[in-house]
Every structure is written in C-alpha cells, then in structure tokens.
Amino acid sequence: MNHERNPVWIVLGIAAVVAGALWLYPRVQEELAPEPVRAWVAIEVADEGFAEVGWRRLERGTPFTLHAVLEARDRQGAPVYYTEARGLRLGGEVIPSSALRSWDRRRPPKILWFTVEAGYAFRETQSQDQIANFDLTEAYRPEWPRAWSIPGQLLPSWVQNPQSIYGVGGKPLGTQRFHVRIEVYEDDKALLPEARFKSWGAESLPDKLEEFPAVTVHVPGKLQAASEIFGLPQLEVPAGQGGLPVGLVDLSRNRLAFSRLTVLAETLEATGTDPSRLEWRPLELGSAPAWGSVVDSGDLFQVGERLVILFEDRGEPGVLDGEDLCFDFAKGAAIRPLGQIFGGDGEVRWASLSTP
C-alpha cells in the first residue's frame, strides 16, 4: 500500500496544516497588532460627538461621559487609539477617525476607574509646610462600571450619600479629576495582567493642570466661584491665627482645595464688591424679605463665625425662610437649608452683593 498516494493521508495532512494555521493565526495576528503604550481619560460633554482629554467646565445639570482610551503604535509607528468614543481630541488636536478603533484583540482588557482627590472633606492646617506639602492620590472606584465608556459622576470617594453635600434631589456641583488603568490579560482565566497602562495620575498635578482630565460643574453668575469648590478638601487655619497661608490662594484658584476666606474672596472679586464696603444688616428668617427685590442668590448670611451664601428659594415662594437653601462651608462644602444652620440663638446678619 502506497501511503504517499493514499487520499486519506493527503486529507489528514491538509487538515493538520489548516488546524496549525488556525491555531497560529490569532497569535501571529496579535504579534502584528499595534503595541499599546499609554492610557488616557477623555471626557465627552452631553452629545458633542467627540471626547477630549482636558479640563471640561459645564453648567449644572449638563451630563458627561468618561471614555477610556488606549494609545498604541502600529508597525510603521503610526498612532492608533482604542476607544468607544466617536471622536477624540488630544493635546488640542483632532485625532483622525481612521486612527480610532474599538478593542478587537484576542487578549481581554479590564478597565479600572479612579478619581484623583485628597480623600477627605476637611483638615485644619497647623503650619505652612502642610500647605506646601498638600498632595492628592488616586482613589479606586469599584462601584463604577468596568467599561470603556461610563456615565460621568461628580462624587468624591469619601461621600457615602450624595444628599449629604448636594441636598435632597440636588444636582452635582464642584470639581473632580479622573484616572484610568487598563489591564490586558492573556485570557479570561488569567489572574494577573500581562500588561498595565495608566493615564496621568496624582503625580502629574499641578504641572498639567489644564490638560489633566477634569470636570468642573458650576452655577453661573454670582455663585460660580462658590459652586466650583464642592468636592474639594477644605483647609482652614486654627481659630485666632487669621489670614491665609501662602499657597492656599493658588490651591483654591486651581480648584485643588479651598478655605472659607478663598471662597469669599473669589466671590467678592467676581461680583466687583469691595469687602470694606459690604453693608451688614440684621435679618430675621420668615419676616417676609422678598426674593429678587430684596435678597437674592449669592447674598451672604452670617451668625458668629458661620458664613453661608444664599442659593435657592425652596420654601414659601418669594419669601426668605428656613427651607431655602444655601452653600455652607462648615468642614466641607454642602448645600443645606437655612433653618438647619440658623435655627438657634444668635443674630443673623445679611449682606447683599453687587451684580458684576
């Protein structure tokens, strides 16, 4: 029997070659695929149709989406960006759509999301060194989806209940920064990743302040400065020391941290109000001062050392009462009813701010 001419052996030989080729093809394809080099976080505002790496500033109530981006280089050295974003802007340049693609590789990725923050609401600073050594860290957000694109959230890791800072049914305000890590595994059963790629982290701040992926949500007008500091750590000097430590003003303007005095100073500056010309008057809640014609959003209220900024009319329409909301800065920024703050003893003083 001549095995060399037996059709059965020929068929088996061809089948073996085909099986070998099918087995090798994914590996060869992976070897020839673009080589990942770094990760980015890109932010899409509403339905813009593109995501951008950088600091995005939005009005309250505007939705946003976080997109993970994995930059790679093909065999010719040309950049390729794995992402679910429909369009991408990076470093101020529009990335051609031909360079964007969804992840279609054999190795499965895991997308891990983080916020870049201080990790606390309030800290009393005892020395200038504490301001100079202020730093941030990456806080892992296990409750967020492990997906390439996720709905944007504006909530620090240390906040368990959003109502504690935004009030009941309140929409988010403030500033948050984002970080992503993309881990690539050999297969679904692998316990450890083959490679890990990170976007800019805490070490990149404040050097890359404007380029760093961040979202600031604000209320326009007189409340803008005060609304932008929600979610940031509040740093205060001990009572009696007075003044602002060197560096705290910069931390506040860069939306990294704040103090009551920096919020007040920025609010007065934005409204063109001279602090020495503020006129403080006694006020009784429920005594029918009219919203709009007398009191208005952005006005200041004070009892002792407690200073708040009037926000929204929530009680009897058109009448200032204890159910109306204010921005409070007692051990962290929060939206609270006036009656919760000024319900005890002490004279309530009120100062109106001029309109810019």
Side-chain angles (χ1 to χ4, degrees), residues 32-256:
L32 297 177
E35 183 70 23
V37 292
R38 65 176 64 85
W40 301 94
V41 175
I43 301 164
E44 181 177 4
V45 175
D47 294 319
E48 286 180 327
F50 68 90
E52 185 168 5
V53 177
W55 194 345
R56 311 301 305 273
R57 295 168 173 85
L58 336 172
E59 288 193 17
R60 192 183 191 214
T62 306
F64 65 96
T65 302
L66 301 179
H67 293 279
V69 179
L70 184 57
E71 181 182 348
R73 289 290 186 273
D74 65 17
R75 296 180 68 82
Q76 288 73 44
V80 172
Y81 299 89
Y82 293 101
T83 182
E84 295 299 321
R86 294 169 292 173
L88 180 64
R89 291 182 180 178
L90 178 59
E93 297 184 0
V94 177
I95 303 301
S97 58
S98 58
L100 305 181
R101 64 182 66 174
S102 298
W103 184 263
D104 56 358
R105 308 274 287 270
R106 181 178 63 87
R107 290 176 168 84
K110 287 185 180 179
I111 316 297
L112 307 177
W113 289 99
F114 297 74
T115 48
V116 180
E117 56 184 81
Y120 55 85
F122 176 84
R123 184 163 292 176
E124 198 170 70
T125 58
Q126 302 295 331
S127 69
Q128 178 61 43
D129 289 342
Q130 287 183 299
I131 300 295
N133 295 326
F134 171 81
D135 60 2
L136 304 173
T137 188
E138 293 108 33
Y140 177 48
R141 308 306 295 265
E143 73 276 17
W144 292 7
R146 293 187 177 185
W148 286 91
S149 299
I150 65 172
Q153 300 183 43
L154 208 67
L155 195 66
S157 63
W158 44 266
V159 176
Q160 300 300 317
N161 181 6
Q163 294 183 8
S164 65
I165 61 173
Y166 302 134
V168 177
K171 298 176 182 178
L173 289 169
T175 299
Q176 186 72 75
R177 293 173 171 88
F178 304 97
H179 169 77
V180 72
R181 298 177 189 177
I182 302 175
E183 298 179 343
V184 181
Y185 290 76
E186 170 65 26
D187 53 44
D188 292 329
K189 297 179 181 179
L191 298 178
L192 297 176
E194 282 190 328
R196 181 183 289 114
F197 305 93
K198 301 179 181 181
S199 66
W200 285 333
E203 76 287 346
S204 299
L205 288 167
D207 293 340
K208 297 185 181 298
L209 196 66
E210 286 296 327
E211 306 99 316
F212 200 96
V215 168
T216 292
V217 174
H218 65 267
V219 176
K222 292 186 286 186
L223 291 165
Q224 179 163 339
S227 63
E228 290 184 349
I229 55 82
F230 277 72
L232 300 178
Q234 181 177 354
L235 306 179
E236 298 290 351
V237 297
Q241 286 193 11
L244 283 174
V246 177
L248 187 51
V249 172
D250 288 337
L251 289 178
S252 181
R253 291 194 180 277
N254 292 334
R255 299 296 180 255
L256 297 169

Side-chain angles (χ1 to χ4, degrees), residues 249 253 262-275 353 356:
V249 172
R253 291 194 180 277
T262 63
V263 171
L264 178 59
E266 287 191 49
T267 300
L268 294 177
E269 180 183 349
T271 59
T273 303
D274 183 348
L353 298 189

